Amino acid sequence: MIDETHDAKRKSWVASADGHSEFPLQNLPLGVFSPPGATAPDAGARGGVAIGDSIFDLRAALDAGLFSGDAQAAAVAAAGPTLNPLMARGATLRRALRRRVFDLLAEDGSDAARVRPLASRLVHPAAACTLHLPAAVGNFTDFFAGIHHATNGGRRRDPNNPLNPNYKYVPVAYHSRASSVRPSGVPVRRPHGQRKLPDEAAPSYGACRKLDYELELAVWIGPGNAQGEPIPIAEAGSRVFGLGLVNDWSARDIQQWESAPLGPFLGKSFGSTVSPWIVTAEALEPFRVAQPPRPAGDPRPLPYLWDDADQQNGAYDIALEAFILTASMRDKGQPPHRVSHSNTTDLYWTLAQLVAHHTSGGCNLVPGDLFGTGTISGPTPEGWGSLSEQSADGTRTLTLHSGETRTFLADGDEAIFRAHCRRDGFAAIGFGECRARIV
Ligand code: MN
């Protein structure tokens, strides 16, 4: 549903928002932050909205009496230290909040004369705030829906049959670890673990020697379902609260040794990084596209995963980029090296299919559950969204613009993900960064 909040001609009185590469007035992503001067890093955590280089403070706006009706109910649900209470509500409240915040922040908003004198209370410089996880993550499921990534990984095992026979029928996933999800900026410790390279006679315990990132879309779940009551595919898309970015850090040597037959465990559970801002389903409306048709010969999804409207409008056109910033680049003030760029249209399954499949056996989703889509790689090398693909599992060296080389991540390296949506006639929006340094 396109409405006035998507009008590219509207401007905000927050000067930095006009033409901002991530957070113009038409985006309004939701997150949780502590304002400047908080007594502890997590003191006063509350919901906010990114606008240009600033954060609009939902609690301050509530205190100023700027909301009523559904928008007020939504702002109350979003003003605490997690967004889970808002996630539990449906799109109606979320949309009311978006429309009111848009009106409050618009240069020509209906209450501009009342709002602008309050600017110093309502809007904080983002650089002076601390950003937190946007939600208490109850469960984290990581899918495998990027078919080029799945193919690249499988090809190393079996060049002739890279995909398992189930891949085109089942949206494959593993249950990952919610307790170790951290917001962008929190360093990640190189894990230790049991690993055995193919040419080693016996396993040993030690620091990971093949530390990798995975470029993925983060899917934040809104209203869930009762246990035993699957969400039908036609309703499944509406359970997506919004999207972000997630780095599913992967210790390949630990993962390769431990994963048969039950899948990843300690090779993945040491940490995952998410971008702190959730770009809402409403902000993404202009960037919905048809799911690309399956290649000729691929099976049609089973009926519980098929919905015509979802196929026509259930995919997203989101451009993704992965960068590495080494310690040397940081010291010299150099920009990061872009390793790959891909697009969410490279996903084999729609988000609604992931939701429908996840619940199809009776599993209950809860508000604030997090999905990773799986690594989103493009079809060609410049689109490969993990270093295991870029380096062919460490057998091929990647040369960075600084002249440094990598197969996997070195200590001090930062992995940085960015995402943007662009479409003629609409304001471009971004996701903000998902980044963390290996220590
Ligand atoms: Mn993954």
Side-chain angles (χ1 to χ4, degrees):
M1 189 193 298
I2 302 293
D3 61 27
E4 80 278 6
T5 66
H6 302 100
D7 183 347
K9 293 190 290 297
R10 301 284 295 277
K11 289 181 167 36
S12 173
W13 51 264
V14 177
S16 62
D18 192 17
H20 196 272
S21 65
E22 312 294 310
F23 309 130
L25 178 63
Q26 292 77 9
N27 192 348
L28 305 177
L30 294 161
V32 171
F33 74 102
S34 291
T39 51
D42 60 347
R46 67 201 49 197
V49 178
I51 178 75
D53 294 331
S54 299
I55 299 176
F56 178 73
D57 186 330
L58 288 170
R59 190 183 296 170
L62 271 173
D63 291 345
L66 295 174
F67 293 107
S68 63
D70 277 354
Q72 172 148 9
V76 168
T82 75
L83 295 179
N84 299 69
L86 181 64
M87 291 168 152
R89 312 293 292 264
T92 303
L93 250 63
R94 199 171 61 228
R95 192 170 291 122
L97 180 66
R98 173 177 170 84
R99 294 178 88 153
R100 179 56 176 158
V101 171
F102 184 95
D103 186 44
L104 290 170
L105 288 171
E107 198 173 54
D108 55 353
S110 62
D111 277 334
R114 186 171 151 217
V115 173
R116 293 184 64 168
L118 303 174
S120 65
R121 277 159 58 192
L122 297 177
V123 174
H124 311 288
C129 299
T130 305
L131 283 156
H132 306 294
L133 282 182
V137 182
N139 304 277
F140 173 24
T141 303
D142 198 53
F143 283 88
F144 197 46
I147 191 168
H148 304 302
H149 171 74
T151 303
N152 287 334
R155 199 170 272 141
R156 287 194 294 277
R157 287 189 307 271
D158 184 347
N160 299 316
N161 291 294
L163 294 174
N164 284 321
N166 61 2
Y167 187 84
K168 292 179 176 179
Y169 292 91
V170 179
V172 172
Y174 72 98
H175 284 295
S176 195
R177 188 74 191 165
S179 68
S180 54
V181 177
R182 292 290 177 273
S184 183
V186 177
V188 172
R189 267 197 231 187
R190 178 178 297 270
H192 284 59
Q194 186 181 142
R195 68 276 204 274
K196 188 182 95 59
L197 299 180
D199 59 349
E200 293 175 337
S204 59
Y205 178 87
C208 170
R209 295 175 293 195
K210 289 185 177 182
L211 187 52
D212 201 357
Y213 62 77
E214 292 194 336
L215 171 62
E216 305 194 16
L217 196 63
V219 184
W220 294 95
I221 299 298
N225 58 303
Q227 191 172 3
E229 295 180 14
I231 300 173
I233 180 74
E235 286 172 33
S238 71
R239 306 306 176 97
V240 174
F241 178 89
L243 305 179
L245 293 165
V246 57
N247 184 341
D248 179 30
W249 300 99
S250 299
R252 300 296 182 198
D253 46 354
I254 299 170
Q255 180 188 352
Q256 285 159 1
W257 172 235
E258 75 180 358
S259 288
L262 286 187
F265 183 35
L266 304 186
K268 300 275 197 174
S269 61
F270 58 94
S272 307
T273 303
V274 292
S275 56
W277 294 108
I278 303 180
V279 180
T280 63
E282 289 67 43
L284 290 161
E285 276 293 325
F287 311 104
R288 295 178 72 122
V289 294
Q291 174 68 5
R294 292 186 159 205
D298 282 13
R300 184 183 165 99
L302 296 180
Y304 79 98
L305 292 174
W306 184 269
D307 177 69
D308 285 331
D310 178 49
Q311 292 296 313
Q312 285 156 22
N313 195 35
Y316 290 91
D317 178 2
I318 305 170
L320 306 167
E321 298 174 289
F323 302 80
I324 292 177
L325 183 71
T326 66
S328 162
M329 291 174 192
R330 195 161 44 244
D331 290 346
K332 293 175 181 160
Q334 295 174 339
H337 175 94
R338 187 170 80 161
V339 181
S340 73
H341 57 101
S342 53
N343 192 288
T344 48
T345 53
D346 290 316
L347 292 166
Y348 193 70
W349 301 99
T350 67
L351 305 186
Q353 287 173 319
L354 304 185
V355 170
H357 181 68
H358 202 307
T359 64
S360 64
C363 174
N364 51 319
L365 295 176
V366 299
D369 276 359
L370 173 65
F371 292 178
T373 53
T375 307
I376 302 177
S377 290
T380 53
E382 60 269 22
W384 293 348
S386 68
L387 291 179
S388 67
E389 294 167 88
Q390 291 286 343
S391 73
D393 194 29
T395 62
R396 191 168 55 216
T397 299
L398 193 67
T399 301
L400 311 180
H401 69 58
S402 58
E404 296 166 280
T405 59
R406 289 290 182 275
T407 50
F408 289 98
L409 294 167
D411 289 348
D413 285 356
E414 227 171 327
I416 305 168
F417 299 165
R418 296 175 189 153
H420 293 91
C421 300
R422 299 178 186 89
R423 180 179 159 196
D424 285 348
F426 291 88
I429 63 171
F431 280 55
E433 286 184 336
C434 174
R435 69 192 291 164
R437 185 162 36 115
I438 301 301
V439 294

